[in-house]
Amino acid sequence: MMIELEVETGGGRGEGLVKTDRELISIPDVIKKRVCTTFVEDSFSNGHLCQCGGSRDSHATVSLNDYFSSAIVSHWDSALHSSEAPTDAFGEVEFGGVSKRHSNFLRLSSDTPPATAYTILTSNWGLPKPNLVLSVVGGVGRSKVKPKLREVLRQGLVRAAQSTGAWILSGGLREGIDRCLGEAVRDHTTAASSDSLTKVVAIGVAPWGLVNLRDELVNPEGSYPAGYFVTNTSRDSYCLDTNHQAFLLVDDGSTGRRGGEARFRAGLENYISQQRTGKLGSGSMDIPVLCTLVSGELYMLERLDLSLKKCIPWMVLAGSGGLADLVTDVLENVAAAPVLPAGGAEGEGEATTKINLRERVAEKVVKHFPSEPDVDKLVDKLLNVHKSQDLISIYHLEQEGPEDFDTVLLKALVRASKQRLSSDASLSTEELKLAVTWNRVDIARSELFTGDIQWKNESLESFMTDALVNDKPQFVRLFIENGLNVQEYMTFGRLEELYRSISDSSVAYTLLQRHLSERQGVAGTGWPAADPAKGLTLYEVAQLLEDLLGDVCQPFYDDKLKIQGITSRRKTIKKLTTVLQEGEYRQQRCVFPWASLFTWAVLQNRSEMAVFFWEMTPESVLSALSACKLLRELCKLENETETKHSLKELAMKFENLAHDVFSKCYQSSESRSFVLLKKKSVVWRGATCLQMAMEADARHFFSHDGVQTLLSQIWWGDMDRNTENWKLVLTLFIPPLCYTSLISFREVEEAEDGTPEEAPKARDIDWLYAETVFSFADIKRIQTKQEELRFTPKGNPTKKSPQKQCFLLSRWKQFWYAPVTAFLGNMLMYFLFLLLFAYVLLVDFKPPPPKGPSPMELLLYFWVFTIVCEEIRGTFFIGNMTVRQRIRQYTQDLWHKCDLIAITLFLIGLCCRMFRRSFWFARAALCLDYMVFTLRLIHIFAIHKQLGPKIIIVGKMMKDVFFFLFFLAVWMMAYGVANQGLIYSFDPSADRILRRVFYRPYLHIFGQIPYEQMDSGFEWNVTCTTNVTEIDENMEPCRDTRYNWMVVILLMIYLLVTNILLINLLIAMFSYTFTKVQERSDVYWKFQRFKVIIEYHSRPCLAPPFIIFSHFHQFIKRNIRKVPSEKIHQFAVDLIDKANNRMMTWENIQKENLLSAEGKKQRESEAERLKRMSVKVDGVLKQTAEIKDVDRRLRVLESEMEFCSATLLWMADAMCQSGVLKAAKPPPTRKVNPSSLES
């Protein structure tokens, strides 16, 4: 059995991460037990027992023979009369009869260092580090627990521990309060959800010598597990409780004695109170520890005094009986009793006061424990407790309900923490520290953020960091709502600290460390020890985002790091090292703090926090799509199944959010929503919604009607979307038909602008949102408006008269600029290309030069050359990406790989056909190439509404075929080899072996079974031989008839497995795939449709081989005339600052409308109604309890008033009879209200 001892080194909260060094040590070498070494006779046992509680027979010989020591020793002491030895009880205990539950246990000496015990609890046993430790003391024995006390334990103590992520330390035995506490922990654990992050952890600290059946736990090698059967009888009081997760069995060498664990337990509590909360000790405060006294015996007073001296706070449950009631009586009544001033000197007065205080405390001791002989010793300890009364809080069982326990607990810890802080420390700050540590936002909201306290931005920043690092989104929301300025809080230096706090088990941390190692490897290791450049910086964050987001975004943070425009990696690192060492950028505020926090939360897969930051982030649609991209890239790199599932769920959640927000935008304004899809983002470094959605594989987002409407508009351009295909094909062959009424075009001028003379001013203002570009006419309209629209010095727009464009030229470009025209032209010419290719292969494939190639073959070569030119243009001359990015993007597409294979095979065939030796290989290569070119038609028809979904289904089924072929190949090889070996004893021919081992079994599946070759019962008219020499000369070997029966049986089994089992398996797989994809085939097709539209939108209007003219035209236009491309406006729009701000404002309004509608829907749900009803019922019950308490007090007050009235009457009557007072007037009579008589 090994444990991990963690030693914290380096780094503090400022560095975000705490490094740990682990050393594996064997438990018997570290943990000890205690054994009594001196037999001190117990006078009441007639020499049979030692004062340690053990019998004479259980002691070693050396301890029995030490008569001199035994004679002079009158009192047994663990430190003097016992010694340590390696522990012999550790491992796991299995409780029988309770679902075989396992709990960790360890027998350890009372002198064991608390640090070692704490390390075993957290490292070896894997218990989560606590945010609070509740130590329950008292309530031992078999006395019956009060129902009120049981309710407080169940609803107050354990619930507070569960909500704060606390440890509960108790005695761990099945007796008294410990047993009730264990049952409450069991009930809360059962009721808690399986994914709850704050489980109740109950740890028992019990004396080893008191545990019943402890011999079953003894095993020097460790027990995994140790059987421990607890009988449900009255004699099982000292058995281990089955509802505790861990047991520390403290051994002081005694047997059957209580209190031996008190000193160790106090030291453990003190050590834990000095540890930091949060992950890796990143919290803002030490772990708070609170001891709770429930009932209790007098010997526990020493335990109370010992903890108070170490400033450990206590809570006393008044009304629970025993020592708790005595302490409550002393603290409340003795402290409140008036002290009369004594005459004489000042010292005499103080002495008199102390004597009076001591006497009153002694009276309380006699009152609660009248049979206690040693009162003076108890009074001394109680006086010490009285001095530390500021560390003690009292909880009254009868006056306060269980629901108030967590509030009382919070205030008790705050009072205790004030004793250890300076006098100027804010009480509210300490309360907030505890609330954040426990993640109790309800307490913080109801007690601290009610408007009475004015929180400053500086005082909330440290709490904000704690909440961010330890994943407490509700506190983050609370701080933002109460005045924390994120713009001031979020600096680049703090952003780096947040990234340094990422868990080392996440994929993001691994990628960040990889980039950090690469940078340090290039820059060298010559930095000072405290240089911030040694840790994670914005450069590693930017590299991580580039890895995950790809080329859709420009580099992040390069302007802040001053490395923009530097292409050389070594120069970049050199410049970066200088900037990092200066560190000036760390003081600068983040330009988009919400987006930075949103990205940080998404990379850590923190769902609730990421959604909150998304609500605050501008450009919500693009931000949600970016999160979807990040999460799906992380999912590809993640290895753990549960984490992969959560990443997929969160990615789908953000895709749905993007879809819903865009739906709101589309309902609000169709034109603005189109601009939103194409607008270049300033937050996400030039990305657009369409680009990010394609990279994120957001099929659900693409299926939105608004996105499809935009794509359809771009696809058809200015033409009517209801135009029949035959009209387009006819116009392609007879271009002048575009000037006729055969094809309908949109009347853009009238539909968009109306009459030029009456253009409203609102239309000009709305144009600031940017134009929706669908076609060539829209592009020209933008250019015209830019020329027409001028602003006066006051900023008012003015218009000039528009210039009329040439109808012939504009209509010609309207037809040929539409992507649908380019698609139909390419499709028709591609069919002609395949026909030409087939004709050359089948009819006109001439021999090598000088006889060939033929003119038709040369035309084919030229045609392929134009196709290659178009591939090069589309890959390297569109966009602004680097060569590496272009190549990576090209190779990521499946159909681009298909094109690359086709072109490569064609070039191989072209080179080989020029030589006679390789002419046969050239023909084979070109035949295969024709198959690849023909398969390219599948991609062309993906745009079709009926064929597109079917093509997707076929693609999915191809994956099933590969799995089927794997099983088939395994079975085919098994059968083929066995069949060949049984039929032919010797056949070295490789050709026959391959045919009969693989090809013939494959044909068996389709019913082609050569019985005469396999079954010797059939006659086979083939000349064969058994001569080995002739067989080596490639003659047919004769069949071996001895194994004919086995061959027939194997054939039957093979056909049974393949034709029935495997074929039906394939059919079932196809059916499942078809059903699964068919449900969402429309979504898949719409996503695939976008890729096709993008491809043909960027292509010239002419198809190969005529596309060469378009290439020459574009070369002259772009490189000589320097005319920029006009088509780029259709998928990417740059907005000026004013228009961009208005667009983001409009988008945020739609997002708020969506969130408001979702919130209203959630509030009206049945669950929320029941929750509100439950809160109201709890409030009524609480008020009812308060009314009962007031009624009880009134009854007491009424009885006291009756007693006072009777006393006054008696005194007056006595005085009158004695003649002391003589009344001149008659006694007053009591006036009775008639209404009271009626009632």
Side-chain angles (χ1 to χ4, degrees):
M1 176 63 184
M2 309 296 284
I3 66 171
E4 295 180 354
L5 293 181
E6 295 185 359
V7 182
E8 297 184 356
T9 60
R13 286 174 295 170
E15 294 186 7
L17 292 176
V18 178
K19 303 177 183 178
T20 59
D21 297 328
R22 294 179 172 88
E23 182 181 359
L24 298 179
I25 302 177
S26 175
I27 276 189
D29 295 337
V30 177
I31 306 301
K32 307 294 182 181
K33 66 177 181 179
R34 278 205 166 269
V35 180
C36 179
T37 57
T38 304
F39 183 84
V40 181
E41 182 179 339
D42 187 358
S43 58
F44 298 98
S45 64
N46 296 325
H48 296 292
L49 296 178
C50 176
Q51 290 186 15
C52 70
S55 63
R56 180 180 291 272
D57 297 337
S58 64
H59 284 68
T61 306
V62 63
S63 63
L64 295 174
N65 295 333
D66 193 0
Y67 300 108
F68 180 75
S69 299
S70 302
I72 63 175
V73 174
S74 60
H75 179 71
W76 186 87
D77 190 342
S78 174
L80 300 177
H81 305 133
S82 65
S83 62
E84 291 185 343
T87 185
D88 56 0
F90 59 92
E92 296 179 354
V93 56
E94 181 183 72
F95 295 100
V98 286
S99 302
K100 302 297 183 181
R101 177 175 177 174
H102 291 191
S103 299
N104 297 296
F105 75 95
L106 174 63
R107 176 186 182 182
L108 70 167
S109 170
S110 58
D111 294 331
T112 302
T116 303
Y118 182 72
T119 302
I120 293 175
L121 290 171
T122 56
S123 298
N124 191 29
W125 292 351
L127 299 180
K129 291 189 177 181
N131 294 324
L132 168 69
V133 174
L134 295 175
S135 182
V136 181
V137 179
V140 298
R142 302 176 184 177
S143 58
K144 187 176 180 181
V145 180
K146 299 179 181 180
K148 185 72 174 180
L149 179 57
R150 188 185 297 270
E151 183 181 2
V152 169
L153 291 176
R154 183 181 302 275
Q155 300 185 15
L157 184 68
V158 178
R159 188 181 63 179
Q162 186 180 30
S163 62
T164 58
W167 284 0
I168 298 181
L169 298 184
S170 68
L173 301 178
R174 287 174 60 88
E175 60 170 358
I177 294 300
D178 295 340
R179 183 168 185 170
C180 295
L181 192 62
E183 293 174 351
V185 170
R186 177 199 61 199
D187 296 341
H188 276 268
T189 304
T190 304
S193 58
S194 59
D195 56 348
S196 177
L197 298 179
T198 53
K199 302 288 186 181
V200 181
V201 178
I203 302 173
V205 183
W208 166 261
L210 194 65
V211 176
N212 192 19
L213 303 177
R214 57 183 177 274
D215 293 337
E216 298 181 4
L217 306 178
V218 176
N219 185 352
E221 302 297 329
S223 301
Y224 299 97
Y228 193 86
F229 184 75
V230 180
T231 57
N232 191 16
T233 62
S234 59
R235 300 178 60 185
D236 63 351
S237 299
Y238 299 151
C239 293
L240 297 179
D241 185 68
T242 58
N243 298 305
H244 285 66
Q245 283 82 359
F247 296 94
L248 295 177
L249 307 178
V250 183
D251 188 6
D252 64 342
S254 64
T255 303
R257 292 174 50 180
R258 296 184 181 273
E261 81 288 356
R263 184 165 52 88
F264 169 81
R265 185 170 173 180
L268 179 62
E269 294 164 356
N270 183 54
Y271 176 80
I272 295 177
S273 67
Q274 299 173 5
Q275 307 305 307
R276 283 284 181 178
T277 59
K279 298 179 180 178
L280 299 175
S282 59
S284 60
M285 62 177 298
D286 295 335
I287 298 176
V289 177
L290 178 67
C291 298
T292 305
L293 180 61
V294 182
S295 183
E297 302 297 332
L298 285 176
Y299 73 88
M300 297 179 182
L301 189 60
E302 182 179 358
R303 166 83 168 83
L304 175 63
D305 185 24
L306 185 63
S307 295
L308 290 175
K309 291 180 180 178
K310 297 181 180 180
C311 295
I312 301 296
W314 279 74
M315 177 183 291
V316 179
L317 268 63
S320 60
L323 181 61
D325 289 351
L326 172 61
V327 174
T328 302
D329 197 1
V330 169
L331 295 181
E332 289 186 344
N333 299 325
V334 173
V339 179
L340 299 176
E346 182 179 356
E348 295 179 358
E350 293 179 359
T352 305
T353 302
K354 292 181 180 179
I355 293 174
N356 292 335
L357 180 62
R358 186 178 183 86
E359 291 177 353
R360 288 194 298 271
V361 171
E363 291 176 1
K364 300 299 180 184
V365 173
V366 174
K367 174 183 176 182
H368 291 274
F369 294 93
S371 61
E372 180 62 29
D374 194 359
V375 176
D376 293 337
K377 186 176 180 180
L378 294 177
V379 169
D380 293 336
K381 293 181 179 179
L382 283 172
L383 290 176
N384 293 334
V385 171
H386 187 271
K387 294 178 182 178
S388 304
Q389 59 181 334
D390 292 336
L391 292 172
I392 302 176
S393 299
I394 298 176
Y395 178 84
H396 295 273
L397 289 176
E398 301 298 333
Q399 299 179 9
E400 298 174 281
E403 63 276 359
D404 301 327
F405 186 85
D406 49 3
T407 305
V408 176
L409 187 147
L410 173 66
K411 294 184 179 299
L413 289 173
V414 170
R415 289 179 56 191
S417 61
K418 286 287 291 181
Q419 302 299 319
R420 293 178 288 181
L421 297 173
S422 57
S423 58
D424 58 346
S426 174
L427 183 64
S428 57
T429 302
E430 293 304 311
E431 291 183 6
L432 184 57
K433 277 186 180 180
L434 292 172
V436 172
T437 301
W438 301 347
N439 198 18
R440 292 299 303 272
V441 69
D442 54 338
I443 296 178
R445 194 182 297 275
S446 60
E447 299 290 335
L448 302 175
F449 292 91
T450 58
D452 300 332
I453 304 174
Q454 297 297 327
W455 293 95
K456 295 182 180 180
N457 189 68
E458 297 79 7
S459 59
L460 293 178
E461 287 185 353
S462 61
F463 298 113
M464 179 69 170
T465 304
D466 190 355
L468 287 172
V469 172
N470 295 292
D471 193 16
K472 299 173 181 177
Q474 294 181 347
F475 271 102
V476 174
R477 187 186 294 269
L478 181 64
F479 296 149
I480 298 302
E481 293 173 353
N482 288 273
L484 180 66
N485 191 341
V486 179
Q487 293 284 351
E488 297 180 1
Y489 169 79
M490 204 62 214
T491 62
F492 289 111
R494 187 166 275 125
L495 181 62
E496 288 181 347
E497 292 181 6
L498 292 177
Y499 274 99
R500 294 189 191 116
S501 67
I502 291 180
S503 174
D504 56 359
S505 61
S506 63
V507 176
Y509 177 83
T510 304
L511 297 176
L512 288 171
Q513 291 297 324
R514 182 185 303 169
H515 288 297
L516 176 61
S517 302
E518 292 176 358
R519 175 172 65 85
Q520 293 177 346
V522 175
T525 58
W527 290 311
D531 196 329
K534 294 182 65 176
L536 290 174
T537 61
L538 286 183
Y539 177 76
E540 285 73 40
V541 178
Q543 294 297 309
L544 172 63
L545 295 178
E546 183 179 355
D547 291 344
L548 299 178
L549 293 176
D551 307 323
V552 67
C553 300
Q554 298 176 6
F556 287 82
Y557 308 121
D558 56 346
D559 53 341
K560 302 300 177 183
L561 299 174
K562 302 178 182 179
I563 57 174
Q564 65 271 27
I566 304 178
T567 57
S568 173
R569 181 174 180 80
R570 185 168 294 276
K571 291 182 180 179
T572 301
I573 299 300
K574 184 177 180 181
K575 177 66 176 177
L576 181 67
T577 303
T578 304
V579 174
L580 293 178
Q581 290 178 348
E582 293 175 355
E584 297 178 357
Y585 73 93
R586 292 188 176 90
Q587 307 302 323
Q588 301 177 13
R589 298 175 183 174
C590 293
V591 182
F592 303 104
W594 291 114
S596 300
L597 289 172
F598 173 66
T599 306
W600 173 79
V602 167
L603 291 174
Q604 297 185 87
N605 192 23
R606 295 182 174 180
S607 175
E608 186 177 355
M609 189 174 290
V611 171
F612 170 67
F613 289 144
W614 172 81
E615 294 175 0
M616 311 300 293
T617 303
E619 301 182 350
S620 53
V621 176
L622 181 56
S623 298
L625 293 173
S626 302
C628 183
K629 168 67 174 176
L630 290 171
L631 291 166
R632 283 174 177 161
E633 291 297 326
L634 290 173
C635 185
K636 295 177 184 177
L637 302 174
E638 183 62 55
N639 295 323
E640 297 184 4
T641 305
E642 293 184 1
T643 306
K644 288 174 71 72
H645 181 68
S646 63
L647 288 171
K648 290 180 181 179
E649 285 187 344
L650 187 56
M652 196 64 215
K653 182 176 183 179
F654 277 114
E655 184 177 350
N656 292 332
L657 287 174
H659 180 276
D660 295 343
V661 174
F662 182 74
S663 296
K664 283 288 183 181
C665 296
Y666 187 68
Q667 295 171 7
S668 175
S669 175
E670 183 175 337
S671 60
R672 294 179 187 176
S673 63
F674 291 158
V675 177
L676 176 66
L677 291 175
K678 302 178 297 179
K679 179 179 70 73
K680 288 187 177 181
S681 170
V682 295
V683 178
W684 295 96
R685 306 294 291 174
T688 65
C689 290
L690 288 177
Q691 292 173 351
M692 190 64 74
M694 183 178 66
E695 292 293 329
D697 198 21
R699 297 186 179 94
H700 181 56
F701 180 79
F702 270 108
S703 66
H704 192 275
D705 292 340
V707 179
Q708 293 301 310
T709 302
L710 173 64
L711 296 179
S712 297
Q713 290 283 7
I714 295 175
W715 179 250
W716 286 95
D718 286 325
M719 291 183 288
D720 188 5
R721 285 186 286 177
N722 296 322
T723 304
E724 290 84 354
N725 290 330
W726 67 268
K727 295 181 180 181
L728 294 175
V729 175
L730 184 60
T731 308
L732 282 173
F733 288 102
I734 310 176
L737 290 178
C738 67
Y739 298 108
T740 66
S741 59
L742 182 66
I743 299 177
S744 301
F745 290 86
R746 291 188 297 122
E747 297 296 334
V748 180
E749 296 292 336
E750 296 180 4
E752 294 285 341
D753 295 331
T755 59
E757 293 81 4
E758 299 178 358
K761 183 177 180 180
R763 178 74 65 181
D764 296 330
I765 295 176
D766 188 67
W767 180 70
L768 290 174
Y769 283 107
E771 286 286 344
T772 303
V773 182
F774 297 125
S775 59
F776 171 77
D778 295 326
I779 297 173
K780 290 304 180 184
R781 189 175 70 255
I782 291 177
Q783 295 176 352
T784 303
K785 282 192 174 184
Q786 289 176 345
E787 295 176 357
E788 294 174 4
L789 193 61
R790 297 291 184 269
F791 290 89
T792 63
K794 294 183 179 181
N796 298 322
T798 61
K799 280 218 172 197
K800 293 184 179 181
S801 59
Q803 297 179 359
K804 195 69 176 179
Q805 297 181 2
C806 177
F807 171 75
L808 295 177
L809 182 61
S810 62
R811 180 56 59 88
W812 179 267
K813 290 187 175 180
Q814 283 177 351
F815 175 75
W816 290 103
Y817 261 68
V820 64
T821 305
F823 169 76
L824 289 176
N826 278 271
M827 183 183 68
L828 293 175
M829 296 306 296
Y830 198 79
F831 275 112
L832 293 177
F833 166 73
L834 292 178
L835 290 176
L836 176 63
F837 203 162
Y839 175 80
V840 170
L841 285 176
L842 300 177
V843 178
D844 201 18
F845 196 66
K846 301 294 183 180
K851 295 182 180 181
S854 65
M856 298 301 292
E857 189 174 352
L858 291 176
L859 176 60
L860 177 65
Y861 295 163
F862 176 73
W863 204 316
V864 174
F865 170 73
T866 58
I867 293 176
V868 174
C869 291
E870 174 58 21
E871 290 291 324
I872 295 175
R873 186 200 68 84
T875 304
F876 295 99
F877 296 97
I878 294 180
N880 300 318
M881 294 183 293
T882 62
V883 176
R884 181 177 62 88
Q885 292 173 341
R886 294 175 187 274
I887 295 175
R888 182 171 61 181
Q889 184 179 17
Y890 182 86
T891 55
Q892 287 176 351
D893 188 83
L894 175 63
W895 295 109
H896 284 165
K897 297 177 182 178
C898 181
D899 294 337
L900 189 61
I901 293 174
I903 294 171
T904 304
L905 286 174
F906 191 88
L907 292 177
I908 293 174
L910 175 62
C911 295
C912 293
R913 70 102 53 230
M914 298 300 175
F915 306 97
R916 188 172 300 276
R917 292 183 177 179
S918 58
F919 181 77
W920 66 272
F921 183 77
R923 188 177 184 88
L926 290 176
C927 289
L928 293 176
D929 190 33
Y930 181 80
M931 292 181 60
V932 178
F933 273 116
T934 306
L935 291 175
R936 193 66 168 78
L937 285 172
I938 296 177
H939 177 61
I940 295 177
F941 286 104
I943 195 69
H944 197 270
K945 192 169 186 178
Q946 281 73 35
L947 291 178
K950 301 303 183 291
I951 292 173
I952 294 171
I953 292 175
V954 171
K956 296 290 183 180
M957 286 183 175
M958 289 300 296
K959 298 180 180 179
D960 297 335
V961 171
F962 283 116
F963 286 108
F964 168 77
L965 290 178
F966 169 75
F967 292 111
L968 181 62
V970 171
W971 185 241
M972 241 169 43
M973 177 177 289
Y975 167 74
V977 172
N979 186 67
Q980 176 70 7
L982 292 173
I983 296 178
Y984 302 100
S985 59
F986 178 73
D987 187 5
S989 175
D991 178 65
R992 285 196 296 264
I993 289 176
L994 292 177
R995 287 177 179 272
R996 292 170 178 173
V997 170
F998 294 102
Y999 182 59
R1000 188 165 65 183
Y1002 179 74
L1003 295 178
H1004 289 354
I1005 302 175
F1006 304 99
Q1008 298 185 16
I1009 304 174
Y1011 300 101
E1012 67 280 358
Q1013 299 180 23
M1014 300 177 58
D1015 191 352
S1016 60
F1018 292 87
E1019 185 177 355
W1020 188 26
N1021 296 324
V1022 175
T1023 304
C1024 63
T1025 180
T1026 57
N1027 192 325
V1028 176
T1029 304
E1030 293 178 351
I1031 293 175
D1032 288 335
E1033 294 175 356
N1034 206 22
M1035 282 192 64
E1036 178 70 26
C1038 292
R1039 295 174 297 177
D1040 191 345
T1041 60
R1042 291 175 296 179
Y1043 306 102
N1044 184 65
W1045 62 274
M1046 191 176 294
V1047 171
V1048 174
I1049 293 176
L1050 287 180
L1051 177 61
M1052 294 171 58
I1053 296 175
Y1054 173 74
L1055 293 177
L1056 178 67
V1057 173
T1058 54
N1059 287 19
I1060 296 180
L1061 180 62
L1062 293 182
I1063 296 298
N1064 282 278
L1065 173 63
L1066 180 62
I1067 294 173
M1069 293 169 64
F1070 281 171
S1071 300
Y1072 173 77
T1073 302
F1074 180 84
T1075 305
K1076 182 180 178 181
V1077 179
Q1078 183 66 22
E1079 297 174 353
R1080 303 190 62 197
S1081 60
D1082 187 63
V1083 176
Y1084 284 98
W1085 168 73
K1086 288 177 179 178
F1087 180 72
Q1088 185 69 23
R1089 177 173 178 250
F1090 172 74
K1091 295 183 178 180
V1092 177
I1093 293 175
I1094 285 287
E1095 178 182 352
Y1096 286 98
H1097 167 266
S1098 61
R1099 283 198 173 193
C1101 53
L1102 297 178
F1106 306 108
I1107 199 172
I1108 194 68
F1109 300 109
S1110 297
H1111 290 167
F1112 281 121
H1113 175 261
Q1114 289 187 2
F1115 177 78
I1116 295 172
K1117 192 174 182 180
R1118 302 286 181 267
N1119 297 279
I1120 299 178
R1121 296 178 57 193
K1122 304 296 182 181
V1123 178
S1125 175
E1126 297 170 346
K1127 284 190 174 183
I1128 59 174
H1129 296 286
Q1130 293 187 350
F1131 284 100
V1133 176
D1134 277 320
L1135 298 184
I1136 60 176
D1137 293 340
K1138 183 177 180 180
N1140 188 50
N1141 292 335
R1142 294 184 62 186
M1143 177 63 71
M1144 287 194 296
T1145 303
W1146 172 74
E1147 184 182 3
N1148 287 334
I1149 292 174
Q1150 307 309 317
K1151 177 180 63 177
E1152 291 173 0
N1153 292 337
L1154 173 67
L1155 296 176
S1156 176
E1158 292 293 332
K1160 182 178 179 181
K1161 183 178 179 181
Q1162 184 178 3
R1163 288 192 299 271
E1164 294 177 353
S1165 63
E1166 295 295 334
E1168 289 296 324
R1169 289 182 179 180
L1170 290 175
K1171 186 177 181 180
R1172 290 195 296 269
M1173 183 65 69
S1174 176
V1175 172
K1176 292 179 180 179
V1177 171
D1178 291 341
V1180 171
L1181 292 176
K1182 186 175 181 180
Q1183 292 178 0
T1184 304
E1186 293 177 355
I1187 292 174
K1188 290 182 178 179
D1189 185 60
V1190 171
D1191 182 64
R1192 180 182 60 81
R1193 294 181 181 181
L1194 290 176
R1195 291 180 183 276
V1196 173
L1197 181 61
E1198 183 180 359
S1199 63
E1200 293 291 335
M1201 292 295 296
E1202 291 178 355
F1203 173 74
C1204 292
S1205 299
T1207 303
L1208 291 175
L1209 290 174
W1210 176 78
M1211 292 174 60
D1213 186 48
M1215 289 181 178
C1216 291
Q1217 292 180 3
S1218 62
V1220 177
L1221 295 176
K1222 293 182 180 180
K1225 297 181 180 180
T1229 59
R1230 184 179 182 184
K1231 296 181 180 181
V1232 181
N1233 193 352
S1235 61
S1236 63
L1237 293 175
E1238 294 177 1
S1239 60

